[in-house]
Amino acid sequence: MNGEMDASTKDQGEIIVVNQVWTQDDLLNLLEAMKVNLPQKDLAKYKTSESHLDWEKVAFNSFTGEMCKQKWNEVSKVIRKFRTLTELIFDAQDFIKNPYKGKKLKKHPDFPKKPLTPYFRFFIEKRAKYAKLHPEMSNLDLTKILSMKYRGLPDKKKKKYLEDFQKDKETFGHSMSKFREDHPDLVESMAKKGSNVPEKPRTPQQLWYSHEKKAFLKTHADATTKDIKDSLGKQWTQLSDKKRLKWIAKSLEMHKAYEEVMKGFIETHPELNMSNEDIVKSTLTKAERHLKDKSDGRPDKPPPNGYSMFCAELMSSMKDVPSTERMVMCSQQWKLLKQNEKDGYQKRCEQAVCMYVCYLLSVCLQSISEEEQQRVLGEQKMIGFKKGSGGSKKKSRAKPSPEKPKRPISAMFIFSEEKRPKLQQERPDLSDSELTRLLARMWNELSDKKKEKYKRLETVLKAESVKKGQEERSQLPDTPKTAQDIWQQSVIGDYLARFKNDRPKAQKAMEATWNTMEKKEKIMWIKKAAEDQKRYERELSEMRSPATIIASGKKMKFDGEPKKPPSNGYQKFSQEMLSNGELNHLPMKERMGEIGGRWQRQPQKEKDRYKKIAEEKQKLYKVELERWLASLSSQERNVYKEYNSQSECYHKLSL
C-alpha cells in the first residue's frame, strides 16, 4: 500500500482516500462483503472473479460500489496475485491487520537502522575526494580502488572506523530491544531466527572450503572473495573420490550430532512452534550420496525396463557419438530387434531388479539403522515393490513444445490403426501392448505390394508436414535478446569510437565490462530483456492463436472441402453453447463439464430437436461433398478418398 495509507495506519488507524475516511474496521467489512458475494467454489483466476463481482452488492454503509472497487484496487496492489480472489481476500485481511508483517518489517518507521560497517564508513568518507581526483573513472573502478586502499590501511588508522562501528552497533542493539517491546506482534518470527537455535550442519564442500581457505590466504594474501571462490571451486570439482569421502564422513557426523541437539532444543523451546520439519534433512548432494553408498558396498540400481538396459549396453560403445544423437540411434536399433529379442532384454532386466532387491535387503541393509534403511528403500522406490514393475513409477511424458512440429504419421501406424478395431473384436483377451506387438508382426509379414498403399499415404502426409513446418518457421517472431545483448547494442557506438572501429577489440572490451558490472547496474538491462521475452511470447501466442491453429489444421486440408457438420445432437448443442460465450468465464475443462450437465438436464423433446438439426446438416453436407468431389480431378479424388479412409488414425494423432 502507498505511504499515505502506512502513515495514517500508524498514527490514527485510518486511511483517507479522496474525502472519505476508511477505518481498519471499514476495510475488514469491505473484505467480508466481497467474500459473501463470491461463489462457494472459487476456482477461476482472480481477475476473472473480480470482473464478475457485482460491486453494488458489495457496497455498505455510506460507501458506494465504485468506492469499494477503488479501495480494493488500492489494497490488492501489495498482495501476490497468482491465486484465486477468495485466497487474496484472506491475505488482504492479514495485511490490513498488520501491514508490516514479514519482509516489510524493515520498512516500519520505528525500525532502527543498521550501523554501517567500518569499510563503508571509510568508503563514504573518501569517495568524494577520489571522484574529484579521477573524474574519468566509473563507480565500479572507484569502488575497487577504495577497497584496495582500505585493505592497505594500518591497524592504527582502521581503529577509528572500528570504534565508531562498535558504538553504533551497541546503540542499534538497544534500539532493537525497544522496538521488540513496543511492537511484540510484529516480531513473532524473529525469536525463531535467534542465536539460540543450533547452527545448521555444513556440507562436505563447505567444510573443505573453510579448511582450504586458510591455506590459500597464506600464499595469496591480496586475494578477493571472488578469487578464492573461483580457485577453490575448480579444485573441489577435481578432488579425488577418496579425499571427497573424507569430508562426506565429517559432514555426516556433524549432521548426526545436529539432529540430536535440535530434537532436544525443540522439546525445551515449545514457544518457538518448531517441529521436526525444521530440522535439515541432509547435507549431501545426490552425487555425494551415491559416492558414499558405493563406498559402503551398495550395488548400482539396475535399469527399470528392457529398453533402458538395451540403451545402457549400446551407449557404452558410443562414446564418440554426440549425446543428442545417442538416444535416436538407440531407438532406431531397438525398433530393428525382433520381439523375442526385446522380450529377452525385459526378462534379463526383471531378473537383475529381483537380484538387486534381494541383495539390498539381505546384505546391504543389515548393517545400517532403521531410519537409513527407510531412506535407501525410499530413494530406490522399493517400498511396496512388485515383481516385474522394475521398482520404478511410470513417469508422465512432458508436453510437446508448441514450436516443435509434429512428426508425420508412419505407414506402419496407419496400418495398425486400420486393423486394430477388427483385431480387438476378434481377440478381446489381448492387452493393448500384446495387440501392438501382434500388429507389428503382421506389418513385418505384409508383402511389399500391400505396404505400398500405406507408404503412399505416409509420403503425402510427410510432404504436408514439411510444408507446414517451413511456413511456421518463416512466421516465427524474432528471438528474444539477452540483457547483455541489449546493453551492448546501447554502447557499441562508444566502444567502436574508443577502439577506432576495431570491432573484435570493442567486443572483448564490452564483454569484460559486462562481467565486472555489479548486479544493481545490470537490473535495468535485465528488465528490458524480460520485456523482450514477453514480447516474443506474446507474438508467438498471437501466431498460434485458435484461428491460426485451425488454419494450419490438425488434419490435412483440401481446397474447397465443405466443413464437416456435427454428427449428433449433443455435438450441435455443444457448438451452440461454446459459440454464444455464456460459459467463457470458466476454464475449458469445467466448461465442457457444465455443457455435459446441461445436456443431461434437457428434456427429450429438446434433445430430439438438436438431433433433427444435426441430421439435416449431415444430409446437406453429403450433397455439398458430392458436388465438391465431382469438381476434383481423378488423381485428387483418389488421394482424398485414400486419406479420408484413415480419419480415425489422424484424429488420434492430433490428440
Side-chain angles (χ1 to χ4, degrees):
M1 199 167 291
N2 55 27
E4 180 186 345
M5 180 173 177
D6 292 346
S8 57
T9 303
K10 177 199 166 195
D11 298 335
Q12 303 168 5
E14 301 179 334
I15 298 156
I16 301 175
V17 178
V18 191
N19 294 319
Q20 187 68 39
V21 177
W22 286 81
T23 64
Q24 189 181 78
D25 289 339
D26 289 335
L27 288 169
L28 293 173
N29 287 336
L30 165 64
L31 298 175
E32 283 296 333
M34 288 175 67
K35 271 205 293 188
V36 170
N37 286 281
L38 284 174
Q40 288 184 352
K41 292 185 178 180
D42 181 21
L43 301 174
K45 290 181 180 178
Y46 91 96
K47 275 289 182 187
T48 306
S49 300
E50 191 179 74
S51 63
H52 287 86
L53 196 62
D54 189 345
W55 290 99
E56 293 306 319
K57 290 182 180 179
V58 174
F60 64 99
N61 296 344
S62 60
F63 300 104
T64 64
E66 187 59 35
M67 291 165 70
C68 290
K69 184 177 180 181
Q70 182 185 350
K71 176 50 63 180
W72 166 249
N73 288 336
E74 184 182 339
V75 171
S76 65
K77 285 179 182 177
V78 297
I79 303 166
R80 292 184 299 113
K81 300 177 181 64
F82 296 102
R83 290 161 297 165
T84 63
L85 187 56
T86 303
E87 292 168 328
L88 284 178
I89 289 174
F90 282 114
D91 270 16
Q93 287 173 328
D94 288 342
F95 174 77
I96 296 300
K97 293 174 184 176
N98 191 347
Y100 297 106
K101 189 176 180 181
K103 294 181 180 178
K104 296 184 177 67
L105 182 63
K106 292 182 181 179
K107 293 183 180 179
H108 196 284
D110 294 343
F111 193 86
K113 191 176 180 181
K114 280 191 175 183
L116 293 173
T117 62
Y119 165 68
F120 268 104
R121 292 169 189 274
F122 171 82
F123 179 84
I124 291 168
E125 185 181 295
K126 303 293 182 182
R127 188 187 179 285
K129 177 185 173 182
Y130 278 86
K132 284 182 180 179
L133 290 172
H134 306 284
E136 76 285 354
M137 282 191 177
S138 65
N139 287 333
L140 183 63
D141 293 333
L142 279 172
T143 304
K144 286 180 179 178
I145 287 176
L146 288 168
S147 177
M148 290 172 64
K149 290 283 183 185
Y150 180 76
R151 263 185 274 155
L153 277 180
D155 293 340
K156 191 175 179 180
K157 290 189 177 181
K158 279 186 182 178
K159 189 178 178 182
K160 171 195 168 186
Y161 303 106
L162 286 166
E163 286 175 352
D164 291 344
F165 169 70
Q166 290 298 336
K167 286 178 185 177
D168 287 354
K169 190 178 179 182
E170 287 178 15
T171 307
F172 174 75
H174 294 310
S175 302
M176 274 303 300
S177 300
K178 189 175 184 302
F179 181 81
R180 288 191 183 95
E181 290 173 8
D182 295 344
H183 305 280
D185 54 324
L186 296 180
V187 287
E188 291 173 355
S189 61
M190 290 183 71
K192 190 173 178 178
K193 299 177 183 177
S195 57
N196 293 330
V197 179
E199 186 182 355
K200 291 180 181 179
R202 289 189 285 176
T203 65
Q205 186 174 1
Q206 288 171 341
L207 290 170
W208 174 85
Y209 180 85
S210 300
H211 178 267
E212 293 295 319
K213 183 180 177 182
K214 295 174 184 177
F216 186 84
L217 286 172
K218 286 180 181 178
T219 55
H220 304 80
D222 297 331
T224 62
T225 305
K226 187 177 182 300
D227 295 335
I228 298 169
K229 284 183 178 178
D230 291 345
S231 178
L232 295 182
K234 290 176 183 176
Q235 289 181 37
W236 172 257
T237 57
Q238 296 166 2
L239 209 65
S240 65
D241 289 348
K242 188 177 179 181
K243 290 182 179 178
R244 198 173 293 207
L245 280 167
K246 169 189 168 185
W247 298 103
I248 288 172
K250 286 187 177 182
S251 178
L252 288 173
E253 286 174 13
M254 287 183 67
H255 184 263
K256 190 176 180 181
Y258 161 80
E259 280 185 327
E260 292 174 2
V261 174
M262 270 300 290
K263 285 174 183 176
F265 180 81
I266 290 168
E267 289 175 5
T268 55
H269 294 80
E271 73 279 0
L272 297 181
N273 296 321
M274 295 178 75
S275 65
N276 290 335
E277 295 295 322
D278 296 301
I279 300 175
V280 175
K281 300 299 179 188
S282 177
T283 56
L284 304 187
T285 63
K286 191 174 180 181
E288 289 165 351
R289 174 62 65 185
H290 179 73
L291 180 62
K292 177 69 170 64
D293 290 338
K294 192 175 180 180
S295 71
D296 292 341
R298 181 171 142 200
D300 289 333
K301 185 181 174 184
N305 51 51
Y307 174 67
S308 298
M309 178 174 276
F310 171 78
C311 291
E313 291 179 1
L314 192 61
M315 281 186 179
S316 62
S317 61
M318 296 167 62
K319 292 179 181 178
D320 297 332
V321 179
S323 57
T324 52
E325 297 176 16
R326 287 178 193 171
M327 287 309 297
V328 177
M329 291 178 69
C330 287
S331 176
Q332 291 171 348
Q333 292 294 325
W334 176 259
K335 288 175 183 177
L336 296 174
L337 293 182
K338 293 180 181 178
Q339 190 57 42
N340 59 349
E341 292 175 316
K342 292 180 180 179
D343 293 340
Y345 275 103
Q346 184 62 30
K347 191 174 180 180
R348 279 174 56 201
C349 177
E350 289 173 1
Q351 289 172 352
V353 169
C354 289
M355 288 174 64
Y356 170 75
V357 174
C358 292
Y359 183 79
L360 199 67
L361 296 172
S362 62
V363 180
C364 296
L365 301 182
Q366 297 301 320
S367 58
I368 58 178
S369 64
E370 189 175 337
E371 289 182 5
E372 189 70 5
Q373 287 182 21
Q374 291 298 323
R375 179 194 68 78
V376 172
L377 292 173
E379 280 182 3
Q380 296 299 324
K381 302 177 183 177
M382 290 299 173
I383 297 172
F385 170 78
K386 292 181 182 178
K387 185 177 178 180
S389 66
S392 62
K393 293 178 183 176
K394 192 173 182 180
K395 293 183 180 178
S396 59
R397 290 189 178 184
K399 291 184 180 179
S401 167
E403 293 183 34
K404 187 176 180 180
K406 290 181 180 178
R407 186 179 294 176
I409 195 168
S410 66
M412 180 183 169
F413 188 82
I414 297 171
F415 167 80
S416 300
E417 292 306 307
E418 183 185 272
K419 302 295 181 184
R420 187 181 290 273
K422 188 179 177 182
L423 273 177
Q424 283 175 334
Q425 291 178 356
E426 293 175 356
R427 300 290 301 276
D429 55 311
L430 295 179
S431 65
D432 286 343
S433 59
E434 289 171 334
L435 205 61
T436 303
R437 290 173 190 170
L438 179 59
L439 286 164
R441 285 197 291 270
M442 288 171 63
W443 171 258
N444 291 332
E445 294 166 2
L446 206 66
S447 64
D448 292 340
K449 189 176 180 181
K450 290 184 178 179
K451 283 182 181 179
E452 195 61 36
K453 167 189 171 183
Y454 303 102
K455 287 180 178 177
R456 282 201 307 273
L457 272 174
E458 180 186 3
T459 305
V460 171
L461 286 171
K462 190 173 182 180
E464 188 70 21
S465 176
V466 170
K467 183 181 175 183
K468 287 174 185 173
Q470 290 172 346
E471 288 175 357
E472 285 191 7
R473 281 193 293 274
S474 64
Q475 294 171 0
L476 284 175
D478 294 335
T479 52
K481 293 172 183 170
T482 63
Q484 186 175 352
D485 291 338
I486 297 172
W487 174 78
Q488 286 185 357
Q489 279 187 354
S490 69
V491 298
I492 184 68
D494 297 337
Y495 277 82
L496 285 173
R498 188 188 303 176
F499 291 96
K500 299 179 180 179
N501 289 328
D502 190 337
R503 188 169 287 273
K505 284 186 179 179
Q507 186 68 31
K508 283 182 181 178
M510 285 192 293
E511 288 175 3
T513 306
W514 176 263
N515 291 333
T516 55
M517 282 171 69
E518 292 183 356
K519 191 174 180 181
K520 289 180 181 178
E521 296 176 284
K522 292 181 181 179
I523 282 175
M524 180 177 75
W525 308 105
I526 292 169
K527 286 181 179 178
K528 288 187 177 182
E531 289 172 6
D532 195 42
Q533 177 69 29
K534 287 179 182 177
R535 184 269 314 162
Y536 172 76
E537 290 172 359
R538 184 177 61 252
E539 290 179 6
L540 193 66
S541 176
E542 289 170 0
M543 189 195 79
R544 298 189 180 280
S545 62
T548 312
I549 292 170
I550 292 168
S552 64
K554 289 186 179 180
K555 66 172 227 171
M556 188 172 169
K557 296 290 288 182
F558 294 86
D559 291 337
E561 180 188 1
K563 188 178 178 181
K564 198 171 182 180
S567 58
N568 52 49
Y570 173 68
Q571 283 190 9
K572 174 61 184 169
F573 175 77
S574 299
Q575 283 185 1
E576 193 175 287
M577 293 298 296
L578 290 169
S579 60
N580 63 20
E582 184 182 343
L583 303 175
N584 284 358
H585 64 285
L586 294 173
M588 182 54 72
K589 190 175 179 181
E590 291 181 27
R591 205 181 301 176
M592 295 310 297
E594 178 65 22
I595 290 172
R598 292 192 183 189
W599 174 257
Q600 292 295 333
R601 293 193 293 273
Q602 290 288 326
Q604 190 59 44
K605 189 176 179 181
E606 276 297 297
K607 290 182 179 180
D608 292 341
R609 184 175 71 83
Y610 279 108
K611 183 181 177 182
K612 190 176 179 182
I613 293 171
E615 288 173 352
E616 288 173 358
K617 286 187 175 291
Q618 282 284 343
K619 288 177 184 177
L620 184 62
Y621 168 72
K622 287 178 181 177
V623 174
E624 291 177 353
L625 185 64
E626 288 297 328
R627 191 181 302 151
W628 175 72
L629 285 171
S631 66
L632 299 176
S633 66
S634 58
Q635 187 179 0
E636 290 173 333
R637 197 180 303 119
N638 288 336
V639 170
Y640 174 78
K641 286 182 177 179
E642 201 167 11
Y643 173 84
N644 203 48
S645 67
Q646 309 299 330
S647 59
E648 286 186 10
C649 89
Y650 302 141
H651 175 67
K652 288 184 180 180
L653 178 66
S654 66
L655 293 175

